[in-house]
Amino acid sequence: MYAQVVRYYQFGDPQNVLKVEQRIIEPLKQDEILVKMDARPINPSDLIPIRGAYRHRICLPAVPGYEGVGTVVETGPLASSTLIGKRVLPLRGEGTWQDYVISRAVLAIEVPDQINDDAASRLYINPITAWVICTETLKITSDQVLLVNAANSSIGRLFIQLSSLFGFRVIAIIRHTRYAEELLNLGAWHVIDSSRMSIYDATMSVTNGQGADASIDSIGGLDGFELARSTRPGGTFLALGLLSGTQVDWARISKEL
């Protein structure tokens, strides 16, 4: 049985980095399942190794794709045959940018019927990350204020939605005023347009000089520093992303704050 697969090769290879190929699907091992992929998105995290990062731990060529949803079409001898026909997230299996993915049955998460393929295919990275950060990493409570930059991003919006569920308040930082009303309707407590006002001054104003209890930085660089500066003494500053491509200056943060 053959399947179509997207592979990526050494960054800087004179040939194309991405290639569409055909491969033979190997027989399943004892506890494995074969998933016919129905939807697989492009997450920014998929592009990082394609551009040459993680070469120290990813053996190339490799199949990209961390997320996706599909239907189980075959099971190994020790995997339950009741999974056949079920929609699942094949977690920690092969890259999802292919027609079929082999995964361990124990790591396949069944998807309820009320969740469509589009939503299900994007559940693994951002939603679970946001949930774990709020409930386990920060353990943010209903009386606290969370400061989030890149608030109009997918994960930024998730933090805002979770604030409505758990009762904490989100100060959403954006760079374009046109997103403000939408984020407020989504549940943001306050919106700061960093292109028009100081993040620090605005945060101190709405928190009565206390600063945010916790901050989540997805940008890095000077934006991250301003976020750290706007977090109260004893609060938590979490570096989640690096959209600017520049690391937060931890030495400056520890020295000045």
Side-chain angles (χ1 to χ4, degrees):
M1 182 178 180
Y2 288 84
Q4 192 173 76
V5 58
V6 176
R7 294 185 190 274
Y8 68 96
Y9 291 77
Q10 184 71 38
F11 185 73
D13 190 297
Q15 300 178 344
N16 293 330
V17 174
L18 288 175
K19 296 181 181 178
V20 179
E21 302 178 347
Q22 297 289 324
R23 71 159 190 169
I24 298 176
I25 298 177
E26 300 292 335
L28 298 178
K29 296 178 182 178
Q30 299 291 336
D31 62 343
E32 291 181 335
I33 59 174
L34 181 65
V35 181
K36 186 179 186 301
M37 298 305 295
D38 299 315
R40 50 275 200 204
I42 299 175
N43 188 287
S45 63
D46 297 326
L47 305 180
I48 295 173
I50 291 174
R51 289 170 175 162
Y54 303 155
R55 282 175 288 180
H56 62 287
R57 65 178 178 84
I58 296 178
C59 184
L60 300 179
V63 182
Y66 291 114
E67 293 183 297
V69 63
T71 303
V72 179
V73 295
E74 186 181 338
T75 58
L78 297 183
S80 175
S81 60
T82 60
L83 286 172
I84 294 177
K86 299 287 183 63
R87 288 190 309 146
V88 299
L89 307 180
L91 305 185
R92 296 173 62 184
E94 304 172 309
T96 57
W97 290 13
Q98 52 186 322
D99 289 339
Y100 292 87
V101 167
I102 294 176
S103 176
R104 293 184 59 200
V106 70
L107 297 177
I109 306 299
E110 291 188 36
V111 178
D113 292 338
Q114 60 266 35
I115 301 178
N116 62 35
D117 284 347
D118 179 60
S121 70
R122 294 179 284 115
L123 281 176
Y124 179 41
I125 296 179
N126 285 335
I128 293 178
T129 297
W131 182 279
V132 170
I133 284 175
C134 290
T135 60
E136 297 183 20
T137 304
L138 297 180
K139 297 181 180 178
I140 191 163
T141 60
S142 60
D143 60 336
Q144 293 183 318
V145 173
L146 176 64
L147 186 61
V148 178
N149 62 15
N152 193 50
S153 65
S154 295
I155 197 164
R157 287 169 171 262
L158 285 166
F159 288 124
I160 293 172
Q161 293 175 77
L162 287 175
S163 74
S164 298
L165 179 64
F166 294 122
F168 60 85
R169 293 167 290 173
V170 168
I171 300 176
I173 301 173
I174 56 176
R175 292 181 176 178
H176 300 285
T177 302
R178 64 177 179 270
Y179 301 125
E181 183 175 357
E182 186 177 356
L183 296 183
L184 288 169
N185 290 335
L186 200 61
W189 178 53
H190 190 79
V191 175
I192 298 173
D193 180 355
S194 62
S195 68
R196 299 190 175 195
M197 63 188 77
S198 160
I199 294 173
Y200 176 82
D201 290 342
T203 301
M204 291 301 162
S205 176
V206 298
T207 61
N208 296 318
Q210 299 299 307
D213 296 285
S215 298
I216 299 175
D217 171 39
S218 295
I219 301 176
L222 291 176
D223 295 85
F225 177 78
E226 282 301 303
L227 212 66
R229 184 169 172 250
S230 304
T231 306
R232 68 170 176 79
T236 303
F237 175 80
L238 179 65
L240 179 62
L242 203 63
L243 292 174
S244 68
T246 304
Q247 292 284 350
V248 174
D249 190 340
W250 294 107
R252 183 183 178 192
I253 288 175
S254 62
K255 179 180 179 180
E256 297 187 20
L257 306 181

